[in-house]
């Protein structure tokens, strides 16, 4: 039996363990969070001169700020299955970090099942596949619902 | 001391999908604006171009490209790029040059030739570019428009009928505009029956990309006075950036700022506020507004961001008829992006052209009666605010 390989579609943005987390930066001076992680060593808070950051896992749960779906096939660099399958998208507010993070919603959930304020949790799912390799990405899933 | 400058002339090349070189549209618009101003190109001392990123090197150096096409005559040159706000920045550069005493007369030009379909990012594996990442995840421009629309529905009770009513209103306005690309009076049924793009937005709620060109001739008030010209004046140009922590989802970002250590701010709410402050005017002084209806639903957001009503009241304002031609405060009398489609570097200048025609009483069938003050509002990708106030 050949196991499918699981690799990150975007390296360094999230962990691949279960349960998965997004990886953010937290300023050691003011505590502001950043996602994706800061590439330059300077805090973006204009009142902070911080230059050191810790890589931290972000909250895995939050509430829907808004949501929609993609009914038309997006252009590259999106890699589409053939035929294209529409998917839902959610913007989810993380309470502890006080920030909103966008992402696809897991397969099988459509906009009719979503609502502003609904609790969501982070999971890994395939963004696209190449041969026997699944390119994984973070997706949002209504809390307590089995994908 | 006055910080105003005079608008001597405006001109446009009609919007469409003409498929020709953008320089052609820019020169056409520039010549129209110069003719409108009644001054020869050789009298222009400063040319300010709004850049385009889709037409190769000539687009990156648009100011010089237009100067060469009009005929080198030694004018000083500037090129500005700020995505959809490029036109306002080019305008601001020209105004600054005039107010600093560096010139009396300046020409501002923006033009674009656009590809078909979704605007897409540059190729390659470039995860350090948020614009690349969001497209990789399948998050297109309409995704963001739809997120705002859906939030209005869940929070404020906006309906699909409201978004459709905006489109139908703007289509009726633009039907009388010779520079508009779409001059069909779309019906409610046609809008609702068009294909779903990003729930709840249908194809006819979302603006297209277009070819087009727009130009504005500015001069110092002293210059206008010497020539005995009584023209509309630019009273304010806002080019603000966001304030940390910017807490609304903004294209093309995957995440907002974190508001853990700093108070949260609305970027779009700050854009017009800066213009009002500079002009010493407020929303109550407006006769009309031209706002960026990238999607019909976003016109409602702008009603609130430019202060026509409080958050959550835009649907009521729309339903009252106040924002229709003939209403208290017509919005997008030109037809807006619904009728033009977006020609990125020309669009903010096209908004200014419309205000100038309206304030001069030359807008024909779409004339706002007694127009005295107008505002434009728009926003460029990556934190570029844009609002211009023109007064009689």
């Amino acid at each position: 039996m050949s196991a499918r390989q699981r690799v990150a579609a975007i390296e360094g943005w999230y962990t691949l363990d279960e349960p998965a987390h997004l990886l953010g930066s937290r300023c050691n001076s003011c505590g502001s969070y950043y996602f994706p992680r800061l590439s330059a060593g300077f805090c973006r808070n204009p009142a902070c001169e911080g230059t050191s950051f810790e890589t931290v896992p972000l909250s895995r749960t939050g509430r829907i700020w808004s949501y929609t779906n993609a009914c038309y096939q997006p252009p590259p660099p999106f890699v589409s299955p053939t035929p294209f399958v529409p998917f839902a998208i959610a913007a989810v507010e993380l309470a502890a970090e006080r920030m909103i993070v966008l992402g696809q919603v897991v397969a099988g959930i459509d906009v009719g099942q979503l609502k502003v304020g609904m609790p969501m949790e982070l999971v890994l799912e395939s963004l696209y596949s190449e041969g026997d390799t699944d390119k994984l990405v973070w997706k949002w899933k209504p809390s307590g619902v089995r994908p | 001391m006055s910080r105003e400058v005079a608008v001597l002339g405006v001109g446009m090349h009609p919007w469409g999908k003409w498929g020709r070189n953008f320089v052609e549209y820019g020169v056409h618009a520039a010549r129209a604006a110069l003719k409108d101003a009644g001054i020869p190109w050789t009298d222009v001392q400063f040319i300010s171009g709004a850049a385009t990123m889709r037409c190769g090197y000539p687009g990156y150096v648009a100011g010089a490209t237009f100067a060469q096409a009009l005929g080198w005559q030694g004018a000083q040159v500037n090129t500005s790029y700020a995505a959809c706000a490029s036109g306002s920045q080019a305008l601001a550069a020209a105004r600054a040059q005039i107010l600093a005493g560096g010139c009396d007369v300046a020409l501002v030009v923006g033009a674009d030739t656009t590809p078909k379909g979704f605007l897409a990012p540059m190729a390659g594996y470039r995860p350090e570019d948020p614009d690349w990442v969001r497209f990789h995840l399948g998050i297109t421009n309409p995704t963001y428009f739809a997120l705002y629309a859906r939030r209005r529905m869940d929070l404020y009770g906006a309906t699909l009928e409201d978004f459709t009513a905006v489109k139908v209103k703007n289509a009726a306005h633009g039907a009388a505009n010779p520079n508009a690309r779409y001059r069909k009076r779309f019906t409610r049924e046609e809008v609702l029956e068009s294909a779903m793009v990003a729930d709840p937005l249908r194809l006819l709620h979302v603006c297209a990309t277009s070819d087009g060109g727009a130009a504005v001739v500015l001069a110092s008030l002293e210059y206008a006075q010497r020539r005995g010209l009584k023209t509309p004046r630019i009273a304010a140009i806002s080019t603000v950036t966001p304030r940390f922590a910017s807490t609304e989802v903004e294209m093309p970002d995957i995440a907002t700022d974190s508001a853990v250590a700093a108070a949260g701010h609305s970027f779009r709410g700050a854009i017009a506020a800066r213009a009002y402050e500079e002009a010493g005017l407020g929303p109550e002084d407006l006769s009309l507004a031209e706002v960026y209806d990238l999607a019909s639903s976003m016109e409602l957001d702008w009603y609130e961001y430019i202060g026509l009503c409080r958050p959550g009241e835009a649907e009521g304002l729309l339903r009252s008829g106040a924002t229709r031609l003939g209403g208290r405060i017509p919005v997008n009398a030109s037809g807006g992006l619904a009728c033009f489609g977006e020609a990125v570097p020309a669009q903010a200048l096209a908004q200014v052209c419309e205000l100038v025609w309206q304030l001069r009483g030359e807008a024909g069938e779409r004339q706002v009666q007694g127009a005295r003050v107008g505002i434009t509002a728009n926003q460029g990708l990556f934190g570029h605010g844009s609002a211009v106030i023109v007064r009689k």
Side-chain angles (χ1 to χ4, degrees):
Chain A
M1 166 182 156
S2 69
R4 293 188 64 80
Q5 291 208 351
R6 290 158 53 89
V7 303
I10 307 168
E11 283 163 34
W13 283 42
Y14 38 91
T15 64
L16 290 179
D17 54 351
E18 296 284 352
H21 290 84
L22 297 175
L23 293 172
S25 298
R26 186 178 60 206
C27 175
N28 287 329
S29 302
C30 77
S32 292
Y33 291 87
Y34 296 93
F35 179 76
R37 284 184 285 166
L38 284 185
S39 52
F42 304 97
C43 186
R44 293 180 188 165
N45 176 354
C48 177
E49 295 189 348
T51 54
S52 81
F53 302 88
E54 206 173 339
T55 294
V56 291
L58 301 183
S59 301
R60 291 190 55 259
T61 58
R63 290 183 180 275
I64 292 186
W65 183 82
S66 194
Y67 57 98
T68 179
N69 61 7
C71 298
Y72 274 63
Q73 181 177 326
F78 180 76
V79 183
S80 178
T82 313
F84 169 71
V85 182
F87 53 89
I89 296 166
V92 173
E93 200 161 10
L94 310 182
E97 293 82 358
R98 299 194 63 189
M99 71 195 297
I100 299 168
V101 179
L102 271 62
Q104 287 191 15
V105 173
V106 292
I109 300 287
D110 72 28
V111 287
Q113 295 162 267
L114 304 175
K115 199 78 192 160
V116 168
M118 181 182 279
M120 301 288 275
E121 66 180 288
L122 189 104
V123 296
L124 290 180
E125 202 176 76
S126 175
L127 179 62
Y128 63 101
S129 298
E130 271 180 0
D132 64 353
T133 303
D134 287 331
K135 300 277 196 170
L136 302 177
V137 77
W138 80 91
K139 294 192 186 181
W140 295 111
K141 180 178 83 68
S143 293
V145 172
R146 289 189 177 279
Chain B
M1 179 195 123
S2 170
R3 297 173 62 194
E4 297 182 334
V5 294
V7 183
L8 296 191
V10 292
M12 287 169 67
H13 182 287
W15 264 227
K17 212 73 172 178
W18 312 111
R20 300 199 299 271
N21 192 302
F22 79 101
V23 183
E24 198 178 313
Y25 314 138
V27 171
H28 177 104
R31 287 187 171 178
L34 288 165
K35 189 173 174 205
D36 186 42
I39 64 164
W41 156 237
T42 44
D43 281 7
V44 172
Q45 301 149 317
F46 185 79
I47 180 162
S48 188
T52 166
M53 294 295 117
R54 295 185 200 85
C55 303
Y57 219 119
Y60 305 156
V61 293
T65 299
F66 296 133
Q68 183 189 35
L70 287 160
W72 293 126
Q73 44 84 317
Q76 298 197 75
V77 66
N78 164 75
T79 298
S80 300
Y81 188 72
C84 304
S86 300
S88 299
Q89 299 228 331
L91 196 73
R95 181 183 69 155
Q97 189 75 358
I98 290 167
L99 294 179
C103 71
D104 284 320
V105 182
L107 172 66
V108 187
V109 190
D112 206 6
T113 302
T114 51
K116 284 185 78 154
F118 285 116
L119 295 181
M122 288 188 285
Y125 178 76
R126 299 184 300 110
E128 71 290 349
D129 177 358
D131 199 39
W132 183 92
V133 171
R134 56 110 173 184
F135 273 104
H136 193 45
L137 297 181
I139 295 174
T140 61
N141 294 8
T143 302
Y144 292 87
F145 312 158
L147 289 174
Y148 306 140
R150 179 53 70 177
R151 192 165 163 83
R152 290 203 74 85
M153 294 175 95
D154 281 16
L155 250 59
Y156 301 141
T159 64
L160 191 57
E161 292 292 338
D162 291 322
F163 307 152
T164 303
V166 170
K167 172 69 176 190
V168 170
K169 167 183 78 71
N170 290 349
H173 290 174
N177 191 338
N179 287 310
R181 174 178 172 191
Y182 302 104
R183 294 171 62 189
K184 176 176 155 65
R185 291 175 189 273
F186 283 103
T187 64
R188 170 186 170 277
E189 289 72 23
E190 286 169 321
V191 178
L192 291 173
E193 284 163 14
S194 63
M196 185 83 87
V197 175
D199 190 284
L201 301 177
R202 272 65 174 175
L203 191 60
L204 288 175
H205 291 124
V206 180
C207 95
T209 60
S210 293
D211 298 358
V216 176
V217 179
L218 296 183
S220 64
L221 293 186
E222 297 71 23
Y223 180 94
Q225 209 166 23
R226 278 202 302 278
R227 296 178 50 123
L229 300 170
K230 205 156 163 42
T231 71
R233 292 167 289 163
I234 305 277
I237 306 175
S238 165
T239 59
V240 291
T241 50
R243 272 179 202 281
F244 188 91
S246 180
T247 50
E248 285 168 357
V249 170
E250 297 283 359
M251 192 162 78
D253 294 333
I254 291 293
T256 62
D257 290 338
S258 149
V260 163
H265 294 276
S266 160
F267 175 36
R268 272 162 289 164
I271 295 171
R274 176 66 177 82
Y276 289 133
E277 186 189 329
E278 187 175 305
L281 296 168
E284 66 283 359
D285 298 307
L286 297 178
S287 312
L288 76 160
E290 288 284 311
V291 305
Y292 233 49
D293 54 327
L294 289 164
S296 306
S297 49
M298 288 174 71
E299 183 173 305
L300 300 172
D301 295 330
W302 283 115
Y303 291 177
E304 297 165 4
Y305 290 131
I306 68 172
L308 301 184
C309 61
R310 288 193 293 259
E313 294 179 349
E315 287 75 17
L317 191 70
L318 171 78
R319 292 170 198 161
S320 78
T323 58
R324 278 201 303 261
L325 267 178
R328 180 169 61 76
I329 172 72
V331 175
N332 287 334
S334 68
L337 294 174
C339 298
F340 277 78
E342 191 184 18
V344 173
Q347 211 66 46
L349 295 174
Q351 291 181 315
V352 172
C353 291
E354 177 67 11
L355 293 190
V356 169
W357 280 317
Q358 291 283 355
L359 298 189
R360 298 198 313 210
E362 296 172 1
E365 283 179 54
R366 59 181 202 285
Q367 181 64 45
V368 175
Q369 295 307 318
R372 301 197 58 80
V373 178
I375 193 169
T376 73
N378 118 0
Q379 179 190 13
L381 216 62
F382 292 108
H384 295 99
S386 157
V388 179
I389 294 178
V390 187
R391 70 193 299 181
K392 245 182 140 164

